[in-house]
Amino acid sequence: MEAFARRLFTPLNLAGLLTWAAIGWEVVVLGTGTPAWREQPAPAAWLAALHLAYLGFFACVLGHEETASPPARLRLFVLAQYGLVFALMMLARSSTLPILLILCAIQVIHLWAPRPAAVLLLVVNLGLYVIYAEVWRFSSPAIGVLMVACFQAFAASAAWFGISAERARAELAATNAELLATRSLLAESARDGERLRLSRELHDVAGHKLTALKLNLAALARDPRLATDPQVALCARLADELLADIRGVVQQMREDEGVELGPAIAALAAPFPRPRLHLQVEGDVRVASLAQAEALLRAVQEGLTNAARHSQAGNLWVVLRREGGGLRLDIRDDGRGRGALRQGNGLGGMRERFEANGGRLDVRRTDTGGVHLQAWLPEAA
């Protein structure tokens, strides 16, 4: 229900609904002319039923046509709208009814490829010519059809440019998200490398010199003249404490080795207005290698992209935790997809990355129609 409300209350959809309401007010409430083939006006109940049926099919299409691969049934809904418009024009004569064809033309541009869309619009306008000439008995039907066709062409062109701009914006956002995530991943990898270098330096250099210092202090303590000197004992104790502290720091840095994915995943989701990311990463989870980190990051990226483009999901849950001697990644959205999942290049590439790192990937639909990805990687590639 929330997703439907989000699709409904957009400026373009609201304009279409207000247009439908205004046409219905004139056709059903105010009354219209009667086509030449009828002796008396059609009952208002018939016109209201057809007009409401148009709204039903129109509402079924709203928002769904924005998906990358809209279901085929949406095209049937648009064709049903065309049939209802022509049925209304057969029963009533109103100059506002052809405006419904303009609303249909906008949907056609979203759901059909350019050439089939042009053919369909041509057929529709030929049908409109027949209505004008034979049913409404216009004196100049060609002029009327030309005017309506021009409005359809204008609306279709505006819709096409809007689609192109939206697709370009989505691609730019995805590219920007990928760059931000890659930058965060590289920065984390660089920090990990620096931690490793510093831990080695502390262990090899400072540890070595402190050990030499302790040996020299022990030799001084065996000298009878200094055996009871408190300063020598204090220096020996401080050397012991400092060496223990350095070993503790080195141990902590060793434990913090590996790439932390939380910031990179957050950067990946930041440019996407939808779906909303819910990220849960266990505090001690770090990825052993950059290749593993990239495999996990690309899986989240594909989950975000699929949720935004295909399932119209509002939320995406990502959980990364330790499990069974490895790392478990769980990605789930609240989309409303239907049918079996098809493995495209995105899912195929993810599966290949995980298998190359000794892991596996499972993908299935949830009970509500969302997508659930479960991936596992060993702790060391």
Side-chain angles (χ1 to χ4, degrees), residues 117-340:
V119 172
L120 178 58
L121 293 177
L122 177 62
V123 172
V124 166
N125 283 282
L126 290 176
L128 181 62
Y129 178 86
V130 173
I131 293 289
Y132 279 177
E134 302 298 331
V135 180
W136 289 9
R137 303 289 174 84
F138 275 9
S139 58
S140 301
I143 298 299
V145 171
L146 180 62
M147 293 176 60
V148 176
C150 288
F151 280 115
Q152 292 179 61
F154 175 78
S157 299
W160 174 251
F161 284 120
I163 294 171
S164 300
E166 180 63 23
R167 288 175 179 171
R169 187 203 65 79
E171 291 177 0
L172 183 61
T175 302
N176 183 48
E178 185 174 350
L179 289 175
L180 289 174
T182 302
R183 185 179 67 178
S184 178
L185 189 63
L186 290 175
E188 179 61 27
S189 178
R191 284 192 293 269
D192 182 57
E194 186 65 13
R195 282 194 299 268
L196 179 61
R197 187 187 68 82
L198 288 175
S199 67
R200 287 172 177 171
E201 291 292 327
L202 285 172
H203 180 272
D204 295 341
V205 177
H208 172 75
K209 293 187 181 300
L210 280 173
T211 300
L213 176 61
K214 286 183 59 180
L215 292 175
N216 282 277
L217 288 172
L220 290 175
R222 288 194 294 271
D223 190 328
R225 293 171 299 174
L226 301 175
T228 58
D229 191 333
Q231 298 297 324
V232 174
L234 177 62
C235 288
R237 181 168 58 83
L238 290 175
D240 289 338
E241 293 176 357
L242 182 56
L243 184 59
D245 290 341
I246 288 179
R247 285 173 175 169
V249 171
V250 170
Q251 180 64 29
Q252 182 62 42
M253 294 177 73
R254 288 289 188 181
E255 291 176 357
D256 289 341
E257 282 183 15
V259 180
E260 185 180 2
L261 276 184
I265 294 176
L268 187 66
F272 285 87
R274 178 178 52 82
R276 181 183 178 188
L277 177 67
H278 303 273
L279 177 62
Q280 179 183 345
V281 180
E282 289 187 356
D284 60 342
V285 169
R286 287 180 176 272
V287 184
S289 68
L290 191 59
Q292 286 185 322
E294 185 179 7
L296 294 168
L297 190 64
R298 296 305 172 225
V300 177
Q301 179 183 358
E302 188 67 20
L304 279 166
T305 303
N306 287 339
R309 291 182 180 178
H310 300 294
S311 61
Q312 296 292 297
N315 295 279
L316 184 78
W317 291 270
V318 177
V319 179
L320 180 62
R321 63 182 184 275
R322 294 185 181 278
E323 181 181 297
L327 300 176
R328 169 72 66 179
L329 177 67
D330 195 283
I331 305 173
R332 177 175 56 87
D333 66 53
D334 60 354
R336 291 288 188 268
R338 294 183 180 180

